[in-house]
């Protein structure tokens, strides 16, 4: 159904504020924007539906809805996301990283105890829009096999990099290290579609195209498998995101790394990125451009947006109330 974007954005902001009353208004606004942008990109499993699932998860934990940050204002710090939506925790980490880049020229922020974080490329894009080079990686519960194996050991473990680009939106590279995302499996299960060949295994370790039978996903080759392992180390092991206690709830970890390229020697990084863009395309390469249509300013969102019926029903009264005051 088509709805006014401003009304949907306001309804999401109210949902997030109700979930995290003590959350920073800037963080809640940024998280709501990312959810709308996911819908704008045609990725509803990372939009309103994702927040629906994450709030359901939190309702069953009994955790207090407060975000805990450590060493805020330092070049290195951490965010404990236990009890809050993952997308809010990521927004907090991005704000903290941006402040650290401004103050120190670099930032490393670890996130632990998180739920669904959303589209990492949107977060990397925010930092790149402010002149930083950003790398964001996220680890999740085991769903992907090592290369050549038959049982899951790591998560889908996406990775995003953003860099400023002269006279163009930031260059953003965002990809999962698995052959499919769990969102794609959910969508296929809901629609009754089959999965592509060579992407998933059933509980017996046999190849399957039935989304209902998936027990593990396969990595995107050896390089994808090793990249997923690197993400597991950085966003799981190194920042406390990886859950090792089998009796503990499954959560996600993430790491946000950002720096001022000029202070690292890249005084003309934005111009250089534009030359790289030109050279890549001239060689016949496809450069990721999914995020180029987006604006960081909520005022420049499309006036209307299409939401799935279940997402609209969940937002419900919030949409009817119109924009928040």
């Amino acid at each position: 159904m088509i709805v006014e974007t401003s009304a949907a954005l306001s309804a999401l902001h109210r949902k997030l504020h109700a979930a995290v009353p003590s959350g920073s208004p800037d963080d809640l606004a940024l998280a709501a924007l990312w959810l709308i942008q996911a819908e704008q990109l045609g990725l509803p499993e990372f939009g309103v539906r994702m927040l629906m699932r994450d709030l359901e998860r939190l309702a069953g934990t009994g955790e207090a809805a407060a975000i805990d940050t450590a060493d805020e204002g330092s070049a290195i710090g951490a965010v404990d996301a236990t009890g809050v939506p993952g997308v809010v925790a990521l927004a907090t980490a991005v704000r903290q990283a941006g402040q650290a880049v401004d103050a120190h020229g670099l930032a490393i922020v670890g996130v632990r105890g998180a739920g669904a974080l959303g589209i990492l490329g949107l977060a990397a894009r925010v930092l790149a829009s402010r002149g930083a080079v950003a790398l964001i990686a996220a680890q999740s519960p085991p769903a992907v096999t090592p290369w050549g194996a038959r049982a899951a050991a790591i998560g889908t473990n996406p990775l995003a990099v953003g860099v400023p680009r002269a006279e163009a939106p930031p260059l953003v590279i965002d990809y999962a290290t698995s052959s499919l995302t769990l969102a794609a499996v959910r969508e296929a299960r809901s629609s009754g579609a089959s999965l592509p060949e060579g992407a998933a295994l059933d509980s017996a370790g046999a190849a399957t195209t039935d989304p209902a039978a998936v027990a593990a996903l396969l990595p995107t080759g050896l390089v994808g498998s090793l990249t997923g392992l690197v993400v597991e180390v950085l966003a799981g092991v190194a920042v406390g995101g990886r859950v090792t206690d089998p009796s503990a709830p499954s959560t996600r970890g993430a790491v946000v790394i950002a720096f001022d390229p000029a202070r690292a020697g890249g005084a003309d990084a934005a111009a250089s990125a534009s030359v790289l863009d030109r050279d890549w395309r001239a060689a016949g390469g496809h450069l990721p451009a999914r995020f180029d249509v987006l604006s960081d300013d909520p005022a420049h969102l499309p006036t209307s947006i299409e939401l799935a019926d279940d997402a609209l029903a969940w937002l419900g009264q919030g949409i009817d109330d119109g924009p928040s005051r």
Side-chain angles (χ1 to χ4, degrees):
M1 182 175 177
I2 305 297
V3 299
E4 287 189 9
T5 304
S6 60
L9 187 64
S10 295
L12 281 168
H13 192 278
R14 279 191 290 271
K15 289 279 190 182
L16 292 168
H17 183 266
V20 195
S22 61
S24 159
D26 289 343
D27 297 349
L28 299 180
L30 184 56
L33 175 62
W34 287 342
L35 295 170
I36 287 293
Q37 287 177 328
E39 300 285 349
Q40 185 183 351
L41 291 171
L43 298 170
E45 290 299 318
F46 296 95
V48 178
R49 284 175 174 164
M50 184 189 77
L51 182 61
M52 291 167 56
R53 292 191 302 270
D54 210 21
L55 292 183
E56 288 173 4
R57 174 189 67 87
L58 290 171
T61 65
E63 296 285 352
I67 195 160
D68 180 25
T69 61
D71 302 318
E72 188 161 352
S74 300
I76 185 167
V79 173
D80 184 350
T82 305
V84 302
V87 66
V88 175
L90 183 59
T92 298
V94 165
R95 173 176 55 81
Q96 188 172 331
Q99 292 170 345
V101 170
D102 289 343
H104 309 289
L106 59 89
I108 301 175
V109 182
V111 179
R112 65 186 185 278
L117 293 160
I119 301 174
L120 301 187
L122 296 176
R125 187 177 184 278
V126 168
L127 290 165
S129 295
R130 299 171 183 170
V133 173
L135 182 151
I136 303 178
Q139 163 271 348
S140 57
V144 181
T145 71
W147 173 246
R150 295 290 172 180
I154 62 172
T156 55
N157 291 14
L159 176 71
V161 174
V163 61
R165 184 168 41 175
E167 300 178 2
L171 171 59
V172 178
I173 304 158
D174 182 345
Y175 62 98
T177 57
S178 57
S179 53
L180 289 175
T181 65
L182 293 177
V185 176
R186 283 193 298 269
E187 288 179 351
R189 189 180 298 133
S190 176
S191 66
S194 295
L195 300 175
E197 296 278 355
L201 304 176
D202 64 18
S203 58
T208 183
T209 60
D210 179 1
V214 171
L217 299 174
L218 294 173
T220 53
L222 176 58
V223 173
S225 184
L226 292 176
T227 304
L229 182 59
V230 168
V231 170
E232 194 76 23
V233 170
L234 293 177
V237 173
V239 301
R242 181 175 173 85
V243 177
T244 57
D245 181 355
S247 66
S250 294
T251 56
R252 292 169 168 83
V255 64
V256 178
I257 301 171
F259 64 91
D260 177 356
R263 294 178 67 173
D268 59 350
S272 183
S274 291
V275 174
L276 172 60
D277 177 328
R278 182 197 66 201
D279 293 347
W280 185 272
R281 295 177 192 271
H286 167 73
L287 204 66
R290 168 181 285 172
F291 301 101
D292 291 359
V293 300
L294 302 177
S295 170
D296 294 326
D297 187 350
H300 295 157
L301 288 168
T303 57
S304 61
I305 196 165
E306 184 172 3
L307 295 179
D309 290 344
D310 59 338
L312 184 60
W314 182 74
L315 286 177
Q317 185 65 36
I319 290 285
D320 295 338
D321 286 343
S324 59
R325 295 289 192 267

